[in-house]
Amino acid sequence: MSGGDAKKLVRSPSGLRMVPELRSARSPFGLDEPPWVPDKECPRCMQCDTKFDFITRKHHCRRCGKCFCDKCCSKKVPLPRMCFVDPVRQCAECALVSQKETEFYDKQLKVLMNGATFFVTLGTSDKSELMVCRLSNNQRYLILDGDSHYEIEIIQISTVQILTEGFTPGGGNTRAIGMILQYKVPGSEEVTQMKFTASEDFSCNKKLSASWLAAMHKATKLLYESRDQ
């Protein structure tokens, strides 16, 4: 592990976390721990309005930081976006969100890191290059390898549009066949566009590309959410 990707174990009021030693090396999909609502500001459960007393104790959701009774905050669910080592206590609403994100970390993230093959067109060029596209192991870069080599920092990506086919006005299934990616070049305000088109040389490549694009779509949603929080 390189120095820039080194991690350390830290203890917070919420639990043990394995975080990058350098904040600049954190995953772009990560979230900061929320500040806890002070005990004195929550005499009642913020979900069911039960009054706290000696018997009914208050608990803080590790994801939103709000105060709840044990009944409304009893679930312990993995929270990989905050780098917790073990499942942590969350309210029912946050637990549902975290459970969906855990599926992304367990499945889609591996698909993105394994990569897929696409024809990549840069800007307004009429020439495409066959390239293997994958997410770096530290989740910070989109790496493209072919005759050329590109490393796009995830936080510099401004828009991702997934291209599909198979939609009909009456409904029906669609299939991801490519995407258009726009990102800023570091050190300037220039925006570069890349178009990715799935290779149709082999049916297995087509299926792999579609899975990679679907995972990229979910990654983009998480990326936008982390920017808003």
Side-chain angles (χ1 to χ4, degrees):
M1 181 179 292
S2 63
D5 292 337
K7 294 186 177 183
K8 61 182 179 180
L9 191 65
V10 298
R11 180 180 293 277
S12 73
S14 299
L16 285 173
R17 303 169 64 218
M18 184 64 75
V19 301
E21 288 189 351
L22 300 176
R23 183 173 176 80
S24 59
R26 61 173 287 183
S27 166
F29 305 111
L31 294 175
D32 290 327
E33 283 188 84
W36 283 10
V37 174
D39 288 350
K40 62 183 180 181
E41 294 182 12
C42 50
R44 296 176 177 273
C45 174
M46 300 178 79
Q47 176 64 40
C48 70
D49 206 37
T50 296
K51 186 176 181 180
F52 295 123
D53 54 29
F54 182 73
I55 297 176
T56 306
R57 298 180 59 193
K58 63 186 65 175
H59 301 278
H60 286 87
C61 171
R62 272 49 175 173
R63 186 182 180 104
C64 67
K66 295 179 181 178
C67 257
F68 302 93
C69 67
D70 183 69
K71 182 179 179 181
C72 294
C73 195
S74 61
K75 293 179 179 288
K76 287 194 174 183
V77 178
L79 187 45
R81 292 187 75 185
M82 292 184 189
C83 303
F84 284 108
V85 174
D86 301 308
V88 290
R89 188 185 291 269
Q90 298 176 58
C91 66
E93 182 178 347
C94 286
L96 287 175
V97 176
S98 294
Q99 285 170 343
K100 292 179 181 178
E101 291 175 353
T102 299
E103 181 184 354
F104 168 78
Y105 275 80
D106 288 345
K107 297 179 181 179
Q108 278 82 21
L109 203 55
K110 293 177 182 177
V111 171
L112 291 174
M113 290 179 178
N114 287 336
T117 303
F118 297 92
F119 284 106
V120 178
T121 306
L122 182 63
T124 57
S125 173
D126 57 357
K127 295 182 179 180
S128 298
E129 182 178 339
L130 191 63
M131 309 188 81
V132 175
C133 309
R134 65 179 179 85
L135 186 68
S136 64
N137 291 335
N138 61 13
Q139 305 166 20
R140 296 179 58 225
Y141 295 91
L142 190 61
I143 299 173
L144 288 70
D145 275 313
D147 290 336
S148 305
H149 177 82
Y150 298 96
E151 292 188 9
I152 302 171
E153 195 169 6
I154 296 295
I155 61 173
Q156 299 294 341
I157 295 175
S158 53
T159 61
V160 175
Q161 178 188 356
I162 302 297
L163 306 175
T164 61
E165 69 175 7
F167 176 78
T168 59
N173 295 328
T174 60
R175 180 173 65 89
I177 59 170
M179 72 175 178
I180 295 177
L181 184 85
Q182 290 185 327
Y183 65 97
K184 287 186 177 180
V185 177
S188 75
E189 292 300 311
E190 179 186 350
V191 175
T192 299
Q193 177 172 297
M194 281 185 171
K195 182 177 180 180
F196 297 67
T197 305
S199 169
E200 299 190 2
D201 293 345
F202 305 99
S203 59
C204 59
N205 283 349
K206 188 184 297 185
K207 184 177 180 180
L208 181 61
S209 297
S211 297
W212 194 92
L213 289 167
M216 187 66 185
H217 179 61
K218 293 183 179 181
T220 303
K221 291 179 66 176
L222 288 187
L223 184 63
Y224 291 154
E225 288 169 10
S226 63
R227 287 173 177 172
D228 293 338
Q229 298 184 40

